[in-house]
Amino acid sequence: NRQVGLVILKRRLTNTPPRIALRCSSVNQAVMYSMNDIRRGLKIEFKGDPYEVIEFLHVKPGKGQAFVRTKLKNLITGAVLEHTFRASDRIPPANLEEKEMQFLYKDGEQYYFMDMETYDQIFLLADQIEYERQFLKENTIVKVLFYKGKPISIELPKQVELQVVETEPGVRGDTVSGGSKPAVLETGATIQVPLFINEGDVVKVDTRTGEYLERV
């Protein structure tokens, strides 16, 4: 669309700060997460800032109360800390707003996203989406997360389809052995795939775990 292209070009040339109309889906602060809710990618409010769970381990000792060891990433500063929660702890969700936007392109360490209604653009730095960018393909629609009006992270679709660009040759007919091998995807991510997968195949990936789901 020529008109859309001109609008995008104008934004790039003038570097006009975008006015993103947020469709507030701020989370209900009455809701609290239990330790059973802890998972990678969960956004929580912790020590007054929004954090994302990047690693977790449930521990059930022989004696005493169960607990959860976590690594948490500050979504504003990027700092990572370790914290242990007790099984009885409750955590509030991060008070974030979200907006569906389209990933356009990468320019160095900057990843550009466009509002599909206004064609305004914002960017996030590579370290703000360190995990998500592994599965981020151009034109993908994502949820951009805002905290106090500033973009801080994204949420990918739960599943994405990506092409395998590098892997060992597939083993013909081997669809049930359960073996796996590494494969590099078009976004640069490396995942484990079944032995029958070949270069050029398109596979479906669970973006929450980074696991292969099926060949498309």
Side-chain angles (χ1 to χ4, degrees):
N1 187 300
R2 184 178 178 183
Q3 185 177 1
V4 173
L6 289 174
V7 172
I8 294 173
L9 179 60
K10 182 179 178 182
R11 289 289 178 190
R12 292 181 188 171
L13 293 176
T14 61
N15 198 27
T16 305
R19 297 178 181 176
I20 303 298
L22 296 177
R23 271 194 289 272
C24 259
S25 50
S26 303
V27 260
N28 183 351
Q29 290 298 299
V31 174
M32 299 289 280
Y33 292 129
S34 73
M35 290 305 99
N36 290 331
D37 297 317
I38 293 291
R39 65 182 187 278
R40 187 164 67 177
L42 186 70
K43 311 294 192 302
I44 63 172
E45 194 85 12
F46 184 68
K47 296 185 177 180
D49 280 337
Y51 278 81
E52 179 180 357
V53 177
I54 57 175
E55 287 184 24
F56 70 96
L57 177 65
H58 287 272
V59 180
K60 295 182 179 179
K63 293 183 180 180
Q65 190 181 47
F67 55 91
V68 183
R69 290 196 184 103
T70 64
K71 277 190 178 180
L72 307 174
K73 178 182 177 181
N74 188 307
L75 292 174
I76 298 174
T77 67
V80 175
L81 59 81
E82 296 183 0
H83 185 79
T84 299
F85 293 99
R86 296 170 300 179
S88 59
D89 285 344
R90 296 292 182 270
I91 324 167
N95 189 18
L96 302 174
E97 297 168 333
E98 63 185 37
K99 174 74 175 179
E100 280 197 347
M101 304 184 79
Q102 182 183 46
F103 173 54
L104 293 179
Y105 62 94
K106 171 189 174 185
D107 183 9
E109 293 295 295
Q110 297 176 342
Y111 288 72
Y112 285 82
F113 301 84
M114 182 178 70
D115 185 316
M116 299 297 290
E117 296 177 357
T118 66
Y119 307 115
D120 285 320
Q121 294 179 37
I122 55 97
F123 70 84
L124 288 162
L125 297 175
D127 60 2
Q128 291 179 287
I129 53 172
E130 187 172 2
Y131 173 78
E132 293 84 359
R133 61 192 169 103
Q134 298 179 87
F135 308 108
L136 190 57
K137 182 179 178 180
E138 287 186 3
N139 301 319
T140 300
I141 304 298
V142 302
K143 290 180 181 178
V144 178
L145 304 179
F146 292 79
Y147 186 72
K148 296 182 178 179
K150 295 182 178 180
I152 59 171
S153 186
I154 65 171
E155 282 190 3
L156 294 167
K158 292 180 180 179
Q159 300 174 2
V160 293
E161 295 179 2
L162 298 169
Q163 187 175 46
V164 174
V165 296
E166 183 180 334
T167 192
E168 293 295 322
V171 179
R172 181 173 302 213
D174 191 354
T175 60
V176 294
S177 70
S180 66
K181 60 182 179 179
V184 180
L185 306 178
E186 59 183 297
T187 54
T190 299
I191 66 169
Q192 292 294 315
V193 299
L195 298 177
F196 61 84
I197 295 296
N198 286 295
E199 291 182 7
D201 285 346
V202 176
V203 296
K204 189 175 291 186
V205 181
D206 187 326
T207 60
R208 296 164 297 182
T209 62
E211 294 178 346
Y212 165 91
L213 294 175
E214 63 181 355
R215 182 168 58 184
V216 179

